[in-house]
Amino acid sequence: MTDDLGAKAPKYLQIAAQLRREVREGKFKPDNRLPAETALAKRFRVSPITLRNAIGVLRAEGLIESRHGVGTFVRESRRLHRRSRDRYGRARKDQRLLTSHLRHEIVFAGRAHVPAHIAEVMGIEPGTEIVVRRRNLYDRETGKPEEIGASYIPAEIAAGTYLEEPTVVPKGLFLCVEDLSGKRYTTARDQWVARLPTADEAAALALPLGAPVMHVIHTARAEDGSILEVSESVWPADRIMVIDDYQVEPGAIEPEAPSEV
């Protein structure tokens, strides 16, 4: 994608494109303060309202952030990488990967009624009692909230166990569930949705107005098809990159059309 909008584009989008280009080219570096709105409005010969609309576009993109009473700054572009298909294998090899860059805080652990949207995924009645573990994750360096989420585990696996204690488990949760159930995670399904956050999510993740989130519901099953765990996570959309490495099945490749002689 380019920023070449053309002269017919609204003026505020043209300004946003120019400032975005200057950030990408290094004129304004991460944590640099942008010139005051009055100075930018004078530079682009527009009204303060038009300039604020342009700034709003860049703020919604996550490129800049406003600090109350200080000014507007370029945000660091670092994104958390979430590997989709191979993360279980990587976690089995090195459990430190699970907590190396994030600090986990368990905000609730115990029996609760399953929410309707999770009950649908698990194939059980809404309100069924299960074990729920709710968590908040923070960047170890900056202290910023990076993820909120929860894991939902069938009561027959986790009820009456240490998974009802509000403490971080000593190893990956899936390894704990495997130990308790005597089964192994075999298949998984991720359902991704990009959406606007709820008021509670926006507050927990310290999101600016209008910033979207990525919401994933992850369902893990054993070889016999039984559900071992359903988890959901919500991230600021501008702070995450999903990486999905996988093999291309030979049968999925379309054969070349025969050439004419």
Side-chain angles (χ1 to χ4, degrees), residues 101-121:
H101 59 286
L102 295 175
R103 176 175 62 83
H104 293 225
E105 178 182 302
I106 305 301
V107 296
F108 174 83
R111 295 175 216 191
H113 294 146
V114 62
H117 68 292
I118 299 298
E120 182 179 359
V121 173

Side-chain angles (χ1 to χ4, degrees), residues 164-211:
E164 292 193 81
E165 299 173 7
T167 55
V168 176
V169 292
K171 54 186 177 182
L173 180 61
F174 81 97
L175 295 172
C176 299
V177 173
E178 287 185 341
D179 290 345
L180 293 170
S181 67
K183 299 179 181 180
R184 188 178 176 89
Y185 283 48
T186 304
T187 61
R189 183 187 192 199
D190 288 345
Q191 298 169 256
W192 289 89
V193 175
R195 59 172 175 79
L196 292 176
T198 65
D200 288 343
E201 290 167 347
L205 293 169
L207 297 176
L209 182 65

Side-chain angles (χ1 to χ4, degrees), residues 6-250:
K8 293 184 178 180
K11 188 66 176 179
Y12 77 95
L13 290 180
Q14 295 182 46
I15 295 171
Q18 177 61 34
L19 292 174
R20 186 187 302 112
R21 189 160 41 242
E22 291 177 1
V23 169
R24 289 174 177 170
E25 292 173 353
K27 181 175 180 180
F28 300 111
K29 300 184 183 301
D31 213 37
N32 278 181
R33 180 179 176 180
L34 292 181
E37 290 186 3
T38 52
L40 289 173
K42 182 177 181 180
R43 170 190 167 187
F44 291 107
R45 299 180 180 179
V46 295
S47 68
I49 293 178
T50 299
L51 192 281
R52 290 193 195 103
N53 287 338
I55 293 296
V57 170
L58 301 182
R59 186 184 297 112
E61 292 176 359
L63 192 65
I64 61 176
E65 62 181 356
S66 297
R67 301 177 187 174
H68 183 67
V70 181
T72 302
F73 293 78
V74 177
R75 291 184 59 185
E76 188 176 0
S77 61
R78 181 177 62 174
R79 291 175 181 256
L80 297 177
H81 290 183
R82 176 186 170 95
R83 291 192 173 271
S84 182
R85 294 175 186 252
D86 69 342
R87 68 180 181 275
Y88 285 118
R90 295 171 68 244
R92 290 186 195 281
K93 293 178 182 177
D94 188 354
Q95 295 178 30
R96 293 172 300 174
L97 293 171
L98 296 173
T99 58
S100 59
H101 59 286
L102 295 175
R103 176 175 62 83
H104 293 225
E105 178 182 302
I106 305 301
V107 296
F108 174 83
R111 295 175 216 191
H113 294 146
V114 62
H117 68 292
I118 299 298
E120 182 179 359
V121 173
M122 298 181 77
I124 60 179
E125 288 295 321
T128 300
E129 188 176 77
I130 59 172
V131 172
V132 180
R133 292 178 59 83
R134 299 192 181 279
R135 63 189 178 275
N136 293 343
L137 277 67
Y138 302 87
D139 187 292
R140 288 186 184 277
E141 295 182 9
T142 66
K144 287 184 177 180
E146 295 291 355
E147 175 188 333
I148 56 176
S151 292
Y152 306 90
I153 308 160
E156 58 267 26
I157 295 175
T161 73
Y162 62 91
L163 294 186
E164 292 193 81
E165 299 173 7
T167 55
V168 176
V169 292
K171 54 186 177 182
L173 180 61
F174 81 97
L175 295 172
C176 299
V177 173
E178 287 185 341
D179 290 345
L180 293 170
S181 67
K183 299 179 181 180
R184 188 178 176 89
Y185 283 48
T186 304
T187 61
R189 183 187 192 199
D190 288 345
Q191 298 169 256
W192 289 89
V193 175
R195 59 172 175 79
L196 292 176
T198 65
D200 288 343
E201 290 167 347
L205 293 169
L207 297 176
L209 182 65
V213 294
M214 290 298 298
H215 180 190
V216 61
I217 296 179
H218 175 78
T219 306
R221 295 180 182 270
E223 188 174 10
D224 62 5
S226 61
I227 289 180
L228 296 177
E229 176 199 357
V230 173
S231 67
E232 63 178 339
S233 299
V234 177
W235 297 276
D238 64 320
R239 298 185 219 161
I240 185 170
M241 178 184 296
V242 180
I243 301 174
D244 192 6
D245 296 318
Y246 54 92
Q247 296 293 321
V248 177
E249 296 294 335

